[in-house]
Amino acid sequence: MPVGILYLIALAAVNGWFEHRWIGSDSAMNALNDIHFLPFYYHYYTTEQAALLSLTSVCLVYGFIGVLVWASWNPPALAMLWATLLAGLMETSKLFLENLHPDPTNIILAGFSAWATAKLANRLTSAPVASAEVSKRNDSLALFDFAPWSGRFYFDEFDFLLLTSITIGYVRLPAAPRHAKRDLLFLSLAILLGLSYVIGTVRGLLPWQIPEINAFTNYYSPYNALRIAKGALWAFLLYGLFGRLASNGQNIRSLFAQGMVVGLAGTIAMLIWERFTFPGLFNFTDVYRVTGLFSQMHTGGADIETFLTLSTPFLVVQLFEKRSWITRLVGIALLVGATYGVMVTFSRIGYAAYGIAMALSLLAAMATSGNQVRIWSFKRGMAAFALIALVLAVAVPIFKGPFTQARMSQAEADMGIRLAHWSSALQMRDPGWSTALLGMGIGRYPETHSWRSKESLAATYRLGSETDNIFLRLGMGSPLYIEQFVTIEPHSNYLLNLNARSDQPNTQITVSICEKWLLTSARCAFKLIDVTGNGQWQSLQANLQSDEVGSGPWYAARPVKLSIYNFNTQTNAVIDVDNVRLQAANGDDLLTNGAFSLGLDRWFFIVDNDRPWHIWSLPIQVQFDQGWLGLVALSLFVAFGLWRAGRDAWRGDAMAGVMLASCIGFLVIGIFDSLLDSPRILMLFLLLIWFCGRTGMKSPAL
C-alpha cells in the first residue's frame, strides 16, 4: 500500500499536476476538439528521438504497475486494467492543465506495458533466482544513462530500474533467518557511515525550501544533497537485499562479477565507437578525451576511468577461471579494449590506478589455495606475464603519443593548481565546530563555490517564471552550454527563432550546432545574435548554415547538438531566452520543449571548467560535505573491508583479491578526484567495500 501511494504521487508529478496551472472546462473542451485519436499520430509528427523517448518513458512509468500486480500475486489482466484506467485519468487531466495536451496512444501503451511486464515476471523462474538478477544490475550502471537526451539527472532511468528491482526483491524474498550469525563489528561501522550520510543529507537540505521549478534542474539547489545521497541509499538497501539472497543460497559475488564484466564490455564498445566516430582510433595527438555513457562527466570528473579500473580486475580473474578457449579469446579482447580505453582517457592518475589494480588482480589470480597457504602456479605465472606484455603493447604507444606526453609534462604545474584548489575549498566552509565535525552538507560545494570562491566562477543558469510563462536565464562566468540533440543534414540552411532580453547593452547570445557527444566538439557552425539591452523581450531570427556539420559515412555518423550559451565578456550580462525553434526547410521544428514549458526536459548542461563543480580529492570532498565524522566513518568502514579482503586474498580467495584490487585502484584515483559526488560511482564503491568486508563470512553464497 505505501509503495502504491508513493507511485500515484510520482505519477501525478510526472504528468504535471504540481507544475502546471489548472484551467477551466471551457479551455478543456477546446483542447478536446483538437485531439487526434489516431494511434501514434503524435509520434509520427515529431523527431525519431522524441518519439522513442516518449514511448520508452510511458512504458517504464506504467510498467511499474505490472511489477506491483505481479508482486501481489494477481493476474496480468488486472495490471492492464489498472494501467489503462490510470493512464486514462492522467491523459484526461491534461485537458485541464495549461500547456499540456493528451495523447490517447499513451493509454494503449500503458495497458500493454503493464500487462507485458506482469506477464514477463510471471514467466521468470523461481523467486530467489529471478530476484538475484538485481545483483547484476551493476552492468546497467555504466550503460543505462539517457540524461543527455531526457535532461533529467536527479532521478533517472537507472534509479527507476533499481527502485523496481529492489522493490521486487524485498517483496518476493523472505528475510534472513533470525538465528543467522550477525557480523556486529562490520554492521556497526556500516551504521556509523549511514548515520554520517543521513546527517550530511539533512545539512545539505538546510535551510528547508519548498520545491520550485529549479529544485531538480541544477546543482546549486539544496536538493542536490538527495541526488548524491541516493547512491548511498541504494547501496544500503542492496546490503539488506544481498543478505536475503545469500540466505537463499545465491552466489552473490559471482553474479556481481558477471555484471561488472558485462558493464565493462558495454563501456568498451561505447568508447571504441566514440573514438572511431570522432578523433579516430589511432589519433593520439588530438585533445579528445572519451566519456562513454557516463553523463555525470558533463561537469568533468573521472567516472569512466574509475569504472574501467574497478571492473577490469573481475575480467582478469575470469580469464584464469574459464576453461573455454572462446571465452578466453573474448576476455583477452576485452582486456585489450579496457587498456585502450583507460589510455585514451589521458588521465594520469587513471594510468597509475589501472596499473596497480591490474598488478594486484594478477597476483590474486595467479595463486591458488591449499591448506590456507598460498601456492603459486608456474603455468598461471607465465599466463600473467603474457597478459602484462599484452597490456604494455597496447599502452606504450598511446603513452608515448604527443598529447599524453604533453599531459605528463604539466604534472608539476597541475599539482600546484590542485593544492591551491584544495586549500580554497576548505577555506570556503562556514566557521565553527559543527561544520568541522559534520561538514557543510552533501552536495553544497557547487553553490558554495559560486558564492565564496576567488577562482573563476561557472556561468549560471536557472528557470524563471512570469505570468505563468517559463523561460531560461543565462548568467556570466566560465562557459556553460545548454544543449539538445538535433538531427541535422549537411550543407543545409536552418532558421533559428527565439525570444531574448537583457538589461545590459551590447549583449550577444551565442547559438551553435556542433558535432558533439558530451564534452568535446568537432565541426561547428556558430551564430552570434545581438540582444537589445533595454530589458524588453524581442523576437530574434537568424539563419544557420550547417556546412560540413553532420556529414560523413553512415557507419561513423556523429551526433549533433544545438547549444545556447552566454559568452559575453562584460560583468553581470544576464540573458533571458524563450521560445527557441530550429526549423528545417520543410518547416519542421527540430527542437523539443524549446519554450521550456516542461522545465529543462530534453535540455542538458555542459561545462568547460570543472573546478566550480569538483574538489578534485575524495578525502577533502568527504571532509567538506560530511566533516570529520564522515571522513572517520568512511575511513573505518573502508579500512576494515580492505583488511578482511586482504586477509582472505592471502589465504587463497581469488575473488577477495579482485575486490581488494578494485577498491585500491578506486582509492588511488580518489587522491586527485572527488568520485563520491557521482551517485552511481558512490553506490558501486560502497557495494565493493561491503563485499570486501563480507569475504570472511562463512556462507556458501559469499
Coordinates of all heavy atoms in Angstrom, one line a residue, residues 471-538:
F471 N 10.9 30.6 -18.7 CA 11.9 30.9 -19.6 C 13.3 30.5 -19.0 O 13.3 30.2 -17.8 CB 11.9 32.4 -20.0 CG 12.0 33.3 -18.8 CD1 13.3 33.7 -18.3 CD2 10.9 33.8 -18.2 CE1 13.4 34.6 -17.2 CE2 11.0 34.6 -17.1 CZ 12.2 35.0 -16.6
L472 N 14.3 30.5 -19.8 CA 15.7 30.2 -19.3 C 16.5 31.5 -19.1 O 16.5 32.3 -20.0 CB 16.3 29.3 -20.4 CG 17.8 28.9 -20.1 CD1 17.9 28.1 -18.9 CD2 18.4 28.2 -21.4
R473 N 17.2 31.5 -18.0 CA 18.0 32.7 -17.7 C 19.5 32.2 -17.6 O 19.8 31.3 -16.9 CB 17.6 33.3 -16.4 CG 18.5 34.4 -15.9 CD 17.8 35.3 -14.8 NE 16.7 36.0 -15.4 CZ 15.8 36.7 -14.7 NH1 15.9 36.7 -13.3 NH2 14.8 37.4 -15.3
L474 N 20.3 32.9 -18.4 CA 21.7 32.5 -18.5 C 22.6 33.6 -17.9 O 22.5 34.8 -18.4 CB 22.1 32.3 -20.0 CG 21.4 31.1 -20.7 CD1 21.8 31.1 -22.2 CD2 21.7 29.8 -20.0
G475 N 23.4 33.3 -17.0 CA 24.3 34.3 -16.4 C 25.7 34.2 -16.9 O 26.1 33.3 -17.7
M476 N 26.6 35.0 -16.4 CA 28.0 35.1 -16.9 C 28.9 34.1 -16.1 O 28.5 33.7 -15.0 CB 28.5 36.5 -16.8 CG 28.1 37.4 -17.9 SD 28.8 36.9 -19.5 CE 30.5 37.0 -19.1
G477 N 30.1 33.8 -16.6 CA 31.0 33.0 -16.0 C 31.8 32.2 -17.0 O 31.6 32.4 -18.2
S478 N 32.6 31.2 -16.5 CA 33.2 30.3 -17.4 C 32.2 29.5 -18.2 O 31.1 29.2 -17.7 CB 34.2 29.3 -16.7 OG 33.4 28.6 -15.7
P479 N 32.5 29.2 -19.5 CA 31.4 28.7 -20.4 C 30.5 27.5 -19.8 O 31.1 26.6 -19.3 CB 32.2 28.2 -21.6 CG 33.4 29.1 -21.6 CD 33.8 29.3 -20.2
L480 N 29.3 27.7 -20.0 CA 28.3 26.7 -19.7 C 27.3 26.6 -20.8 O 26.7 27.7 -21.2 CB 27.6 27.0 -18.4 CG 26.5 26.1 -17.8 CD1 26.5 26.1 -16.3 CD2 25.1 26.4 -18.4
Y481 N 27.1 25.5 -21.4 CA 26.3 25.3 -22.6 C 25.0 24.5 -22.2 O 25.0 23.5 -21.6 CB 27.0 24.5 -23.6 CG 28.4 25.0 -23.9 CD1 29.5 24.5 -23.1 CD2 28.7 26.0 -24.8 CE1 30.8 25.0 -23.3 CE2 30.0 26.5 -25.0 CZ 31.0 25.9 -24.3 OH 32.3 26.4 -24.5
I482 N 23.8 25.1 -22.7 CA 22.6 24.4 -22.6 C 22.3 23.7 -24.0 O 22.2 24.4 -25.0 CB 21.4 25.4 -22.2 CG1 21.8 26.1 -20.9 CG2 20.1 24.6 -22.1 CD1 21.9 25.2 -19.7
E483 N 22.2 22.4 -24.0 CA 22.3 21.7 -25.3 C 21.1 20.7 -25.4 O 20.5 20.3 -24.5 CB 23.6 20.9 -25.3 CG 24.8 21.8 -25.2 CD 26.1 21.0 -25.4 OE1 26.1 19.8 -25.1 OE2 27.1 21.6 -25.7
Q484 N 20.9 20.4 -26.7 CA 19.9 19.4 -27.0 C 20.3 18.7 -28.4 O 20.8 19.4 -29.3 CB 18.5 20.0 -27.2 CG 17.4 19.0 -27.5 CD 16.0 19.6 -27.6 OE1 15.2 19.2 -28.3 NE2 15.8 20.6 -26.8
F485 N 20.2 17.4 -28.4 CA 20.5 16.7 -29.6 C 19.5 17.0 -30.7 O 18.3 17.1 -30.5 CB 20.4 15.1 -29.4 CG 21.6 14.6 -28.7 CD1 21.5 14.2 -27.3 CD2 22.8 14.4 -29.4 CE1 22.6 13.7 -26.7 CE2 23.9 13.9 -28.7 CZ 23.8 13.5 -27.4
V486 N 20.0 17.2 -31.9 CA 19.1 17.6 -33.1 C 19.6 16.7 -34.3 O 20.7 16.2 -34.3 CB 19.2 19.1 -33.4 CG1 18.5 19.9 -32.4 CG2 20.6 19.5 -33.7
T487 N 18.7 16.6 -35.2 CA 19.0 15.8 -36.5 C 19.3 16.8 -37.6 O 18.4 17.6 -38.0 CB 17.8 14.9 -36.9 OG1 17.6 14.0 -35.8 CG2 18.2 14.1 -38.1
I488 N 20.5 16.9 -38.0 CA 21.0 17.9 -38.9 C 21.5 17.3 -40.2 O 22.2 16.3 -40.2 CB 22.1 18.8 -38.3 CG1 21.6 19.6 -37.2 CG2 22.7 19.7 -39.4 CD1 20.6 20.7 -37.6
E489 N 21.1 17.9 -41.4 CA 21.6 17.5 -42.6 C 22.8 18.4 -43.1 O 22.7 19.6 -42.9 CB 20.5 17.5 -43.7 CG 19.4 16.5 -43.5 CD 19.9 15.0 -43.6 OE1 20.9 14.8 -44.3 OE2 19.3 14.2 -42.9
P490 N 23.8 17.9 -43.6 CA 24.9 18.8 -44.0 C 24.5 19.6 -45.2 O 23.6 19.3 -46.0 CB 26.0 17.8 -44.4 CG 25.3 16.5 -44.8 CD 24.1 16.5 -43.9
H491 N 25.2 20.8 -45.3 CA 25.0 21.7 -46.4 C 23.5 22.1 -46.5 O 23.0 22.2 -47.6 CB 25.5 21.1 -47.7 CG 26.9 20.6 -47.7 ND1 28.0 21.4 -47.6 CD2 27.4 19.3 -47.7 CE1 29.1 20.7 -47.5 NE2 28.8 19.4 -47.6
S492 N 22.9 22.4 -45.4 CA 21.5 22.8 -45.4 C 21.4 24.1 -44.6 O 22.2 24.4 -43.7 CB 20.6 21.7 -44.8 OG 20.7 20.5 -45.5
N493 N 20.3 24.8 -44.8 CA 20.1 26.1 -44.1 C 18.9 25.8 -43.1 O 17.9 25.2 -43.5 CB 19.7 27.2 -45.1 CG 19.6 28.5 -44.4 OD1 20.6 29.0 -43.9 ND2 18.4 29.1 -44.5
Y494 N 19.1 26.3 -41.9 CA 18.1 26.2 -40.9 C 17.8 27.6 -40.3 O 18.7 28.5 -40.2 CB 18.6 25.3 -39.8 CG 18.8 23.9 -40.2 CD1 20.1 23.5 -40.8 CD2 17.8 23.0 -40.2 CE1 20.3 22.2 -41.2 CE2 18.0 21.7 -40.6 CZ 19.2 21.3 -41.1 OH 19.4 20.0 -41.6
L495 N 16.5 27.8 -40.0 CA 16.0 29.1 -39.5 C 15.9 29.0 -38.0 O 15.2 28.1 -37.5 CB 14.7 29.4 -40.1 CG 14.1 30.8 -39.7 CD1 15.0 31.9 -40.1 CD2 12.7 30.9 -40.3
L496 N 16.6 29.8 -37.3 CA 16.6 29.8 -35.8 C 15.7 31.0 -35.4 O 15.9 32.2 -35.8 CB 18.0 30.0 -35.3 CG 18.1 30.1 -33.7 CD1 17.8 28.8 -33.0 CD2 19.5 30.6 -33.3
N497 N 14.7 30.7 -34.5 CA 13.9 31.7 -33.9 C 14.0 31.6 -32.4 O 13.9 30.5 -31.9 CB 12.4 31.6 -34.4 CG 12.2 31.9 -35.9 OD1 12.2 33.0 -36.3 ND2 12.2 30.8 -36.7
L498 N 14.0 32.8 -31.8 CA 14.0 32.7 -30.3 C 13.6 34.1 -29.8 O 13.7 35.1 -30.5 CB 15.3 32.3 -29.7 CG 16.6 33.1 -30.0 CD1 16.8 34.3 -29.1 CD2 17.8 32.2 -30.0
N499 N 13.1 34.1 -28.5 CA 12.9 35.4 -27.8 C 14.0 35.6 -26.8 O 14.4 34.6 -26.1 CB 11.5 35.4 -27.1 CG 10.4 35.3 -28.1 OD1 10.5 35.6 -29.3 ND2 9.2 34.8 -27.7
A500 N 14.5 36.8 -26.7 CA 15.5 37.1 -25.7 C 15.4 38.5 -25.2 O 14.7 39.4 -25.8 CB 16.9 36.9 -26.4
R501 N 16.0 38.7 -24.0 CA 16.0 40.0 -23.4 C 17.2 40.1 -22.5 O 17.7 39.1 -22.0 CB 14.8 40.4 -22.6 CG 14.6 39.6 -21.4 CD 13.3 40.0 -20.6 NE 13.2 39.2 -19.4 CZ 12.1 39.2 -18.6 NH1 11.1 40.1 -18.9 NH2 12.0 38.4 -17.5
S502 N 17.7 41.4 -22.3 CA 18.8 41.6 -21.3 C 18.7 43.1 -20.9 O 18.2 43.9 -21.6 CB 20.1 41.3 -22.0 OG 21.2 41.7 -21.2
D503 N 19.2 43.3 -19.7 CA 19.3 44.7 -19.2 C 20.6 45.4 -19.6 O 20.7 46.6 -19.4 CB 19.1 44.7 -17.7 CG 17.8 44.3 -17.2 OD1 16.8 44.6 -18.0 OD2 17.6 43.7 -16.1
Q504 N 21.5 44.6 -20.1 CA 22.9 45.2 -20.4 C 22.9 45.5 -21.9 O 22.6 44.7 -22.8 CB 23.9 44.2 -20.1 CG 24.0 43.8 -18.6 CD 24.5 45.0 -17.8 OE1 25.3 45.8 -18.2 NE2 24.0 45.1 -16.5
P505 N 23.5 46.7 -22.3 CA 23.6 47.0 -23.7 C 24.8 46.2 -24.3 O 25.6 45.6 -23.6 CB 23.9 48.5 -23.7 CG 24.5 48.7 -22.3 CD 23.9 47.8 -21.4
N506 N 24.7 46.1 -25.6 CA 25.8 45.4 -26.4 C 26.0 44.0 -26.0 O 27.1 43.5 -25.8 CB 27.1 46.2 -26.3 CG 27.0 47.6 -26.7 OD1 26.4 47.9 -27.8 ND2 27.6 48.5 -26.0
T507 N 24.8 43.3 -25.8 CA 24.9 41.9 -25.3 C 24.6 41.0 -26.5 O 23.8 41.3 -27.4 CB 23.8 41.7 -24.2 OG1 24.1 42.6 -23.1 CG2 23.8 40.3 -23.7
Q508 N 25.2 39.9 -26.5 CA 25.0 38.9 -27.5 C 24.8 37.5 -26.9 O 25.3 37.2 -25.8 CB 26.3 38.8 -28.4 CG 26.5 40.0 -29.3 CD 27.7 39.8 -30.2 OE1 28.7 39.3 -29.7 NE2 27.6 40.2 -31.4
I509 N 23.9 36.7 -27.6 CA 23.7 35.3 -27.2 C 24.3 34.5 -28.3 O 24.2 34.8 -29.5 CB 22.2 35.0 -27.0 CG1 22.1 33.6 -26.5 CG2 21.4 35.2 -28.2 CD1 20.7 33.2 -26.0
T510 N 25.0 33.4 -28.0 CA 25.7 32.6 -28.9 C 24.9 31.3 -29.1 O 24.5 30.6 -28.1 CB 27.1 32.3 -28.5 OG1 27.8 33.5 -28.3 CG2 27.9 31.5 -29.6
V511 N 24.7 30.9 -30.3 CA 24.0 29.6 -30.6 C 24.9 28.9 -31.6 O 25.4 29.5 -32.6 CB 22.6 29.9 -31.3 CG1 21.9 28.5 -31.6 CG2 21.7 30.7 -30.3
S512 N 25.0 27.6 -31.4 CA 25.9 26.8 -32.3 C 25.2 25.4 -32.5 O 24.5 24.9 -31.7 CB 27.3 26.6 -31.7 OG 27.2 25.8 -30.5
I513 N 25.6 24.9 -33.7 CA 25.3 23.4 -33.9 C 26.6 22.8 -34.1 O 27.4 23.2 -35.0 CB 24.3 23.2 -35.1 CG1 24.8 24.0 -36.3 CG2 22.9 23.6 -34.8 CD1 24.0 23.7 -37.6
C514 N 26.9 21.8 -33.3 CA 28.2 21.1 -33.3 C 28.1 19.6 -33.3 O 27.1 19.1 -32.7 CB 29.0 21.5 -32.1 SG 29.5 23.3 -32.0
E515 N 29.0 19.0 -33.9 CA 29.2 17.5 -33.8 C 29.8 17.3 -32.4 O 30.9 17.6 -32.2 CB 30.0 17.0 -34.9 CG 29.5 17.2 -36.3 CD 30.5 16.8 -37.4 OE1 31.7 16.8 -37.1 OE2 30.0 16.6 -38.5
K516 N 29.0 16.6 -31.6 CA 29.4 16.5 -30.2 C 28.8 15.3 -29.5 O 27.6 15.1 -29.7 CB 29.1 17.8 -29.5 CG 29.6 18.0 -28.1 CD 29.3 19.4 -27.5 CE 29.9 19.6 -26.2 NZ 29.6 21.0 -25.7
W517 N 29.5 14.6 -28.7 CA 29.0 13.6 -27.9 C 28.6 14.1 -26.5 O 27.5 14.1 -26.1 CB 29.9 12.4 -27.9 CG 29.4 11.2 -27.0 CD1 30.0 10.7 -25.9 CD2 28.1 10.5 -27.2 NE1 29.2 9.6 -25.4 CE2 28.1 9.5 -26.2 CE3 27.1 10.6 -28.1 CZ2 27.0 8.7 -26.1 CZ3 26.0 9.7 -28.0 CH2 26.0 8.8 -27.0
L518 N 29.6 14.5 -25.7 CA 29.4 15.0 -24.4 C 30.2 16.3 -24.2 O 29.6 17.4 -24.0 CB 29.7 14.0 -23.3 CG 29.2 14.5 -21.9 CD1 27.7 14.6 -21.8 CD2 29.7 13.5 -20.8
L519 N 31.5 16.2 -24.2 CA 32.3 17.3 -23.8 C 33.0 18.0 -25.0 O 33.0 19.3 -25.0 CB 33.4 16.9 -22.8 CG 32.9 16.5 -21.4 CD1 34.1 16.0 -20.6 CD2 32.2 17.6 -20.7
T520 N 33.6 17.3 -25.9 CA 34.5 17.9 -26.9 C 33.7 18.0 -28.2 O 33.2 17.0 -28.7 CB 35.7 17.0 -27.1 OG1 36.3 16.8 -25.8 CG2 36.7 17.7 -28.0
S521 N 33.8 19.2 -28.8 CA 33.1 19.4 -30.1 C 34.1 19.2 -31.3 O 35.3 19.3 -31.1 CB 32.6 20.9 -30.2 OG 31.7 21.1 -29.2
A522 N 33.5 18.8 -32.4 CA 34.3 18.6 -33.6 C 33.9 19.8 -34.6 O 34.1 20.9 -34.2 CB 34.0 17.3 -34.3
R523 N 33.3 19.5 -35.7 CA 32.9 20.6 -36.6 C 31.7 21.4 -36.1 O 30.7 20.7 -35.5 CB 32.6 20.1 -38.0 CG 33.9 19.5 -38.7 CD 33.5 18.8 -39.9 NE 32.7 17.6 -39.7 CZ 32.7 16.6 -40.6 NH1 33.4 16.6 -41.7 NH2 31.9 15.5 -40.4
C524 N 31.7 22.7 -36.2 CA 30.6 23.5 -35.6 C 30.2 24.6 -36.6 O 31.0 25.0 -37.5 CB 31.1 24.2 -34.3 SG 31.3 23.1 -32.9
A525 N 29.0 25.1 -36.4 CA 28.5 26.3 -37.1 C 28.0 27.2 -36.0 O 27.2 26.8 -35.2 CB 27.5 26.0 -38.1
F526 N 28.5 28.5 -35.9 CA 28.2 29.4 -34.9 C 27.3 30.6 -35.4 O 27.4 30.9 -36.6 CB 29.4 30.0 -34.2 CG 30.3 28.9 -33.6 CD1 31.3 28.3 -34.3 CD2 30.1 28.6 -32.2 CE1 32.1 27.4 -33.7 CE2 30.9 27.7 -31.6 CZ 31.9 27.0 -32.3
K527 N 26.6 31.1 -34.5 CA 25.9 32.4 -34.8 C 25.8 33.2 -33.5 O 25.3 32.8 -32.5 CB 24.5 32.0 -35.3 CG 23.6 33.3 -35.7 CD 24.2 34.0 -36.9 CE 24.2 33.1 -38.2 NZ 24.6 33.9 -39.4
L528 N 26.3 34.4 -33.6 CA 26.2 35.4 -32.5 C 25.0 36.3 -32.8 O 25.0 37.0 -33.9 CB 27.5 36.2 -32.4 CG 28.6 35.6 -31.5 CD1 29.2 34.4 -32.2 CD2 29.7 36.6 -31.3
I529 N 24.1 36.4 -31.9 CA 22.9 37.2 -32.1 C 22.9 38.4 -31.1 O 23.0 38.2 -29.9 CB 21.7 36.3 -31.9 CG1 21.8 35.1 -32.9 CG2 20.4 37.1 -32.2 CD1 20.6 34.1 -32.7
D530 N 22.7 39.6 -31.7 CA 22.7 40.8 -30.8 C 21.3 40.8 -30.1 O 20.3 40.6 -30.6 CB 22.9 42.0 -31.7 CG 24.2 42.1 -32.3 OD1 25.2 41.7 -31.6 OD2 24.4 42.6 -33.4
V531 N 21.4 41.2 -28.8 CA 20.2 41.4 -28.0 C 20.2 42.9 -27.5 O 21.2 43.3 -26.9 CB 20.3 40.5 -26.8 CG1 19.0 40.7 -25.9 CG2 20.4 39.0 -27.2
T532 N 19.1 43.5 -27.8 CA 19.0 44.9 -27.3 C 18.9 45.0 -25.8 O 18.1 44.3 -25.2 CB 17.7 45.6 -27.9 OG1 17.8 45.5 -29.3 CG2 17.6 47.0 -27.5
G533 N 19.7 45.7 -25.2 CA 19.8 45.8 -23.7 C 18.8 46.7 -23.1 O 19.2 47.6 -22.3
N534 N 17.5 46.6 -23.5 CA 16.5 47.5 -22.9 C 15.6 46.8 -21.9 O 14.6 47.4 -21.4 CB 15.7 48.2 -24.0 CG 15.0 47.1 -24.9 OD1 15.0 45.9 -24.6 ND2 14.4 47.6 -26.0
G535 N 15.9 45.6 -21.6 CA 15.0 44.9 -20.6 C 13.7 44.4 -21.2 O 12.9 43.8 -20.4
Q536 N 13.5 44.5 -22.5 CA 12.2 44.1 -23.1 C 12.5 42.8 -23.9 O 13.5 42.7 -24.6 CB 11.6 45.2 -23.9 CG 11.4 46.5 -23.2 CD 10.3 46.3 -22.1 OE1 9.3 45.6 -22.3 NE2 10.5 46.8 -20.9
W537 N 11.5 41.9 -24.0 CA 11.6 40.8 -24.8 C 11.6 41.2 -26.3 O 10.8 42.1 -26.7 CB 10.4 39.9 -24.6 CG 10.4 39.1 -23.4 CD1 9.7 39.3 -22.2 CD2 11.2 37.9 -23.1 NE1 10.0 38.3 -21.3 CE2 10.9 37.5 -21.8 CE3 12.2 37.2 -23.8 CZ2 11.6 36.4 -21.2 CZ3 12.8 36.1 -23.3 CH2 12.5 35.7 -22.0
Q538 N 12.4 40.6 -27.1 CA 12.5 40.8 -28.5 C 12.5 39.5 -29.3 O 13.1 38.6 -28.8 CB 13.6 41.7 -28.9 CG 15.0 41.2 -28.6 CD 16.1 42.1 -29.0 OE1 17.0 42.5 -28.2 NE2 16.1 42.5 -30.3

